Amino acid sequence: MRAILAAAVLAAMPFVLGAYQLSLLTGGLAYGLMAASLALLVGHAGLPSLGHAAFLGVGAYAAGLTAKHLSESAVVQLGAAVLAGVVFALVTGWFAVRTRGFFFLMFTLAIGEIAVQAATRSGRVTGGDNGLSGIPVSTLFGLETAMPYVVVFYWWALAVVAAGFAVLAAVRRGPLGAAIAGTRENEARMAAFGYSVPGVRLAAVTVAGAVCAAGGALVAQKDTFVAPTHLGVGVSVLLLVMVLLGGRDSLAGPALAAVGLIALRDVTSGALGDKWLLVEGALFVLCVYLLPEGLAGLWRKRARAA
Amino acid sequence: MSLLVNAFDGLAFGALLFVLAVGLTLIYGMLDVLNLAHGALYMAGGYIAYLLLGGASVSLGLWAGAALLVAALGVALGGVLSAAILPLRGRGHLDQALLTLGLAILLSEFLLGVVDRGFHTLPPPDGLDGSVLGSYPLYRVAVIAAGLVIGGIVYWIFERTRAGALVRAAVDDPGMLAAIGVNVARVRLSVMLAGCGLATFAGVLGLPLLNLRAGLDSEVLVLALIVIVIGGLASIRGAVVGALLVGQVQTVGVALAPELAAYLLFAVMAAVLLWNPSGMFGRAR
Amino acid sequence: MRFALLALAVALAAGCGGAATQQAADDSVVKVGAIISQTGVYSALGDDMEAAMRLYLDEHGGKLGGKPARLVVADDAGTPETGQQKARQLTLQDQVNVITGLIASPVAVAVAKEAAAQKTPVVIANAGADALGGPGVFRVSYTNYMHGYAAGRYAAESYGKDGAVLMGADYSAGTETLKGFAEGYAKGGGAKPLKQILTPFGKTQNFQPYLSQIPAEAKFLYVFYAGGEAITFAKNFKQFGYDTKLKLLTCQNITDEDVLQAIGADAEGITSVGLYSPALDNPENQAFTAKWKAKTGKNPSAVALQSWDAMSLIDQAAKRGGDLAQALGQVGEIASPRGPFTLDAKHNPVQNWYVREYSGGVNKVIATIAPEAS
């Protein structure tokens, strides 16, 4: 019910916001979805990843290359991105799920950095470090001819983000989600029940990777540009921070943190010049002390009190 | 011949990485704290030494005095860090990671604000700025020597003294240690202080090799994390082997396979983790 | 509750600048949007860039083309995604007349694309990517290719026709500069370089393993490094005694003012090819270096000069009046501290290059490479 209400309010935003704010919010929603997908790994599966941006980048490059060479349809590009995300998740996750905790963190960091190098050094395909340019603007069911593109694209992004959230929520609630949580809590018992622990973990990585790649497609379509920095540790850290600020056991929390952090950066970097990073550093410190469960803790506390 | 020089040079970088990473691995092993401010501490060591010595070449005595002073400041910063982490007991590594990341940003941006965002460095102290055997920089030999001395001291404390035995015991079984009346909190604090002091000291030691700049903190943090992951956590031997391996990968490795240089370090780390998911000398945790 | 927080976040996002959106374009003011790395790995250059732009405005009564000017600085944090977002903000919200700044090439590519979509002209003050361009894109710095090409021509003339080895950072600025060098060298009659050594960009803390790959028969080395890597390279080259084994020719960045202090004595004697030297003997340069020194106490860097010239180009174009994008292409010769230069059909500078030898604290000009007659 709340989700529907939130979607309705968000859908009305084009009537409230200007073009720039709308594009900022579009980016915020895409990052929100990607942060929520990472929360599935970090919170639900107990797999802290420092290479999640690789999925963003794989999805973005897949969508951008599809747009450039195959189809200008946003839906086709999205499909290509999700497919690429699944393949990338299966190939890298197969190895990654053998490690745990801090070692998983570092293994995924290695995957991300190797992906950055691969994108940088495949200049013929990816445009190298100067990025993939010449991506055409996506078509959106012909609606873009009737209305301003930023508005149509915002609704498209909102629809994709809503669908992605629905997938994440369904997985969390369903039998796979229970199995994933089980491997986090007690590997030995899950194995005794006949589950393949690496298999369950790989499924978690694949779902999170596919959803994140969908977010990556939105980034590529919004900016009609992708660069190797999209895959790098800087973005991975940002996504992880969004999860921790929002609350790792939640989907809405990280999404909210993503929108909030992007808005905060926008305001502070404009107003403070090179001092905006100090505000961000202080925010991280304060949040650790004041919001131990992240933003999600705020409404949980409320619910408990009621 | 040139590969021998590469290998020797790898020792110099390995020695520096060891001094940097040994504190990180002990802090992780002992306090169960993932200290993402370790790179910022290294950077702070470099910037404070630069502020003290003004970028000019100075005598070895003055240099060493500054390095010790910086290490002492590092110990003080370690105290601050311990206090900051204290309220987070029992909350897991990721909360510590976010806290120390925030503190690292505050520290490094503060330093860049105090000095500036430009590039800075410090020449080696007088007497160590020459070269040996025709054309090998003497300072790098000195870094190897410093690494050996510090490694020896750490090893001696760890393996041969009562304090070291307590530290080892605290890694293995803190409950038992507390039960026999040892103040485990104090053991932990001393490891934290020593680790942070070593990190800032490494910042001075590395100053003539890695220039000061924005982003230096995360660059060295990633290197240190790779070292401790390869070696395995909470293991001095692991830190030695990890640091030496990373040093060789970055010198002999890239000389042998220059076209793979950009991938090599991360590929080696990934390969070590596939072979043993807890690092070379690590225990599963 | 969750909904309320969500709404709050949206309101927060909406709050940034808010009312500015509907602001009408104001013709009485020239608004310049400068996308500069204020944070991140390129921020050392960013400080010089901003200082030079502000200095230009201060020296010209805060006016461009006779109208009061406003400089809006935005931080790209070194990434194209942020840069593009800032370009969107500057065009849609701040309604700037022109975008300038732009240190890193990937950022410039993304920004130029966004600005073209919003029909706002761009004056690039640093980024060198060869592919950058377009009807509304003007560049007062250089292309990487031309930077290397000029050095290649000079090397063929003065360093011998064979025995060249090239070395540089493995990213587009490095490979494009080295490609330009190889072609300029071939144009001057030089043989194919013996070897090209590429080092991982931004990840190389030690050049010894790469220097050791220089073949024994090498006669000279041409290198491209910038920023922190330039410092490490220059020191390693000297400390490992390579300066006694072979001659060195470098890009301008290795002995640029932003790195010289850190390189220290090891910079002595390095010969480089660049578009500027603080020692150039012309009235524009004397005035510029004096002002810059008074403000910062240092010699101006190449980025400072380029940023000054970016403002100068905007100033002259604004003076011409009419559509700024068109006027930027019609300015003709620009009197710059580097010497006069013009923009070619692709809006890239046609300019002298200078062979500079660093000695006694300054890059002394020892030869001038005039533009090739086309």
Side-chain angles (χ1 to χ4, degrees):
Chain A
M1 187 57 214
R2 277 177 187 151
I4 293 168
L5 209 57
V9 170
L10 284 171
M13 279 303 136
F15 305 108
V16 183
L17 300 180
Y20 172 66
Q21 282 85 2
L22 201 58
S23 95
L24 199 65
L25 183 58
T26 310
L29 290 177
Y31 272 87
L33 177 63
M34 296 186 283
S37 75
L38 179 58
L40 182 76
L41 279 186
V42 177
H44 208 67
L47 296 171
S49 168
L50 201 50
H52 209 55
F55 290 108
L56 187 179
V58 164
Y61 274 110
L65 288 168
T66 305
K68 230 178 137 172
H69 302 297
L70 283 175
S71 165
E72 296 192 358
S73 153
V75 182
V76 175
Q77 294 156 17
L78 180 71
V82 171
L83 186 66
V86 168
V87 172
F88 189 77
L90 289 174
V91 172
T92 60
W94 176 262
F95 299 104
V97 295
R98 278 147 222 277
T99 56
R100 308 263 175 291
F102 176 54
F103 295 96
F104 184 83
L105 194 84
M106 293 302 288
F107 193 88
T108 48
L109 169 71
I111 292 171
E113 288 306 292
I114 290 170
V116 170
Q117 293 302 331
T120 308
R121 296 161 138 263
S122 318
R124 252 173 245 273
V125 182
T126 62
D129 55 313
N130 282 339
L132 181 67
S133 17
I135 301 175
V137 172
S138 315
T139 56
L140 293 158
F141 314 102
L143 287 174
E144 70 277 8
T145 52
M147 274 177 283
Y149 190 80
V150 272
V151 174
V152 185
F153 187 79
Y154 172 79
W155 280 329
W156 157 250
L158 186 59
V160 173
V161 169
F165 264 93
V167 169
L168 292 174
V171 167
R172 264 167 62 117
R173 272 194 223 109
L176 177 59
I180 292 171
T183 58
R184 180 194 66 206
E185 293 301 330
N186 194 330
E187 275 182 49
R189 190 185 299 164
M190 290 305 284
F193 285 161
Y195 283 96
S196 154
V197 171
V200 172
R201 289 203 160 123
L202 185 58
V205 171
T206 309
V207 171
V211 172
C212 186
L218 292 179
V219 170
Q221 291 168 344
K222 174 173 82 83
D223 290 343
T224 62
F225 184 75
V226 194
T229 44
H230 278 109
L231 300 132
V233 62
V235 178
S236 289
V237 169
L238 181 67
L239 288 172
L240 195 52
V241 163
M242 287 167 175
V243 170
L244 298 177
L245 292 178
R248 70 198 74 159
D249 297 325
S250 153
L251 294 180
L256 202 55
V259 174
L261 197 61
I262 285 175
L264 181 77
R265 277 192 176 184
D266 189 70
V267 173
T268 53
S269 88
L272 302 174
D274 65 353
K275 301 284 182 287
W276 66 268
L277 268 168
L278 287 169
V279 175
E280 207 167 281
L283 175 79
F284 297 173
V285 173
L286 285 178
C287 280
V288 172
Y289 292 133
L290 301 178
L291 297 173
E293 291 175 63
L295 290 175
L298 289 176
W299 59 77
R300 282 206 192 114
K301 228 174 260 169
R302 215 35 100 76
R304 258 177 254 137
Chain B
M1 177 58 206
S2 88
L3 271 183
L4 275 178
V5 180
N6 294 154
F8 192 76
D9 208 45
L11 286 180
F13 271 80
L16 177 62
L17 284 174
F18 169 76
V19 178
L20 171 67
V22 67
L24 187 63
T25 197
L26 285 181
I27 290 169
Y28 193 103
M30 276 287 308
L31 290 84
D32 210 26
V33 165
L34 180 52
N35 179 21
L36 295 188
H38 214 73
L41 287 169
Y42 172 97
M43 183 163 156
Y47 272 95
I48 295 167
Y50 172 76
L51 283 172
L52 287 173
L53 300 175
S57 133
V58 296
S59 72
L60 185 56
L62 195 56
W63 168 287
L68 287 178
L69 185 62
V70 167
L73 284 170
V75 169
L77 284 172
V80 174
L81 205 54
S82 300
I85 287 173
L86 212 56
L88 264 59
R89 296 226 70 174
R91 279 184 47 192
H93 293 142
L94 289 173
D95 286 324
Q96 298 160 356
L98 185 59
L99 174 70
T100 50
L101 176 68
L103 292 173
I105 293 172
L106 289 175
L107 180 57
S108 57
E109 288 298 312
F110 172 74
L111 293 166
L112 292 171
V114 169
V115 181
D116 59 34
R117 290 184 174 271
F119 303 99
H120 300 285
T121 184
L122 202 60
D126 298 337
L128 292 179
D129 50 358
S131 52
V132 286
L133 295 173
S135 60
Y136 192 82
L138 182 58
Y139 186 73
R140 295 183 183 218
V141 182
V143 171
I144 296 175
L148 280 173
V149 169
I150 290 167
I153 293 172
V154 171
Y155 180 83
W156 178 73
I157 293 176
F158 211 64
E159 300 287 338
R160 296 277 181 270
T161 67
R162 185 181 136 77
L166 289 180
V167 171
R168 275 179 292 142
V171 173
D172 290 336
D173 194 345
M176 189 62 189
L177 206 58
I180 60 167
V182 174
N183 187 342
V184 179
R186 209 159 74 191
V187 178
R188 288 209 173 100
L189 180 64
S190 44
V191 167
M192 185 75 174
L193 299 184
C196 292
L198 279 173
T200 47
F201 179 79
V204 188
L205 193 64
L207 201 40
L209 300 178
L210 311 176
N211 41 70
L212 299 174
R213 58 189 178 273
L216 177 64
D217 50 341
S218 38
E219 201 176 318
V220 295
L221 174 66
V222 168
L223 286 174
L225 288 171
I226 292 173
V227 166
I228 73 171
V229 159
I230 287 179
L233 299 170
S235 155
I236 303 251
R237 196 162 34 145
V240 173
V241 174
L244 290 178
L245 183 63
V246 170
Q248 294 305 320
V249 167
Q250 298 279 65
T251 50
V252 176
V254 300
L256 288 177
E259 65 285 356
L260 295 178
Y263 298 93
L264 216 50
L265 189 55
F266 286 104
V268 166
M269 175 174 83
V272 167
L273 286 182
L274 287 181
W275 168 57
N276 184 347
S278 305
M280 293 169 93
F281 298 96
R283 284 162 286 191
R285 350 181 105 231
Chain C
M1 184 58 210
R2 192 183 312 204
F3 156 71
L5 275 167
L6 213 48
L8 184 76
V10 170
L12 201 68
C16 357
T21 327
Q22 265 69 45
Q23 195 181 69
D26 181 358
D27 268 349
S28 64
V29 187
V30 180
K31 268 194 178 177
V32 179
I35 296 180
I36 293 177
S37 296
Q38 293 179 302
T39 60
V41 288
Y42 297 105
S43 53
L45 297 181
D47 282 356
D48 268 11
M49 191 172 250
E50 188 175 342
M53 289 176 176
R54 296 211 183 276
L55 181 65
Y56 188 94
L57 285 180
D58 290 348
E59 291 296 321
H60 293 79
K63 290 184 170 181
L64 292 173
K67 292 180 190 170
R70 232 191 98 206
L71 185 67
V72 187
V73 177
D75 178 19
D76 64 34
T79 72
E81 192 177 10
T82 311
Q84 188 171 350
Q85 188 187 314
K86 296 294 181 180
R88 216 171 268 147
Q89 182 171 29
L90 290 172
T91 50
L92 292 174
Q93 190 168 288
D94 297 309
Q95 311 251 335
V96 299
N97 302 94
V98 56
I99 289 179
T100 185
L102 304 172
I103 293 169
S105 285
V107 175
V109 171
V111 167
K113 188 183 65 62
E114 187 65 31
Q118 310 294 347
K119 309 211 167 22
T120 303
V122 175
V123 176
I124 297 167
N126 187 64
D130 294 339
L132 266 172
V137 179
F138 304 84
R139 173 151 46 189
V140 295
S141 47
Y142 53 86
T143 66
N144 294 324
Y145 181 88
M146 290 311 297
H147 185 186
Y149 190 85
R153 282 171 59 208
Y154 175 73
E157 201 177 283
S158 310
Y159 279 62
K161 306 284 186 202
D162 60 356
V165 173
L166 314 186
M167 185 165 170
D170 193 2
Y171 72 127
S172 60
T175 51
E176 287 175 2
T177 307
L178 296 187
K179 179 171 180 264
F181 181 90
E183 292 188 11
Y185 190 57
K187 185 77 185 291
K192 192 172 176 292
L194 295 174
K195 191 167 183 176
Q196 174 162 304
I197 301 165
L198 294 175
T199 58
F201 170 56
K203 291 189 158 46
T204 307
Q205 292 93 11
N206 178 19
F207 288 96
Q208 186 276 333
Y210 300 98
L211 285 166
S212 71
Q213 293 167 40
I214 297 171
E217 62 273 29
K219 290 182 182 153
F220 75 96
L221 182 68
Y222 175 72
V223 291
F224 174 88
Y225 288 108
E229 290 189 324
I231 299 165
T232 313
F233 172 83
K235 286 169 154 276
N236 288 177
F237 188 81
K238 188 78 174 264
Q239 288 163 353
F240 283 95
Y242 284 92
D243 58 327
T244 59
K245 291 178 199 156
L246 76 171
K247 290 212 276 182
L248 177 68
L249 184 65
T250 76
C251 67
Q252 67 175 358
N253 314 62
I254 292 205
T255 53
D256 200 358
E257 302 300 326
D258 58 340
V259 295
L260 275 171
Q261 188 268 335
I263 300 173
D266 292 337
E268 200 66 24
I270 291 181
T271 306
S272 58
V273 173
L275 57 75
Y276 175 66
S277 157
L280 278 172
D281 189 15
N282 67 57
E284 281 81 11
N285 189 40
Q286 278 149 7
F288 173 59
T289 46
K291 285 171 200 152
W292 182 264
K293 269 187 182 159
K295 186 168 175 182
T296 67
K298 295 182 297 188
N299 276 327
S301 61
V303 160
L305 170 272
Q306 291 158 192
S307 308
W308 172 274
D309 280 348
M311 294 304 268
S312 165
L313 174 64
I314 295 167
D315 192 6
Q316 328 257 327
K319 244 174 231 152
R320 297 181 70 89
D323 178 42
L324 190 61
Q326 244 171 13
L328 282 165
Q330 294 165 344
V331 165
E333 192 172 278
I334 299 149
S336 159
R338 73 181 96 170
F341 71 96
T342 55
L343 298 187
D344 65 14
K346 287 182 166 174
H347 304 163
N348 289 319
V350 180
Q351 59 191 335
N352 281 340
W353 289 85
Y354 304 102
V355 184
R356 308 132 9 131
E357 188 181 292
Y358 185 71
S359 74
V362 70
N363 277 304
K364 289 183 178 141
V365 177
I366 56 173
T368 300
I369 308 163
E372 229 173 14
S374 51

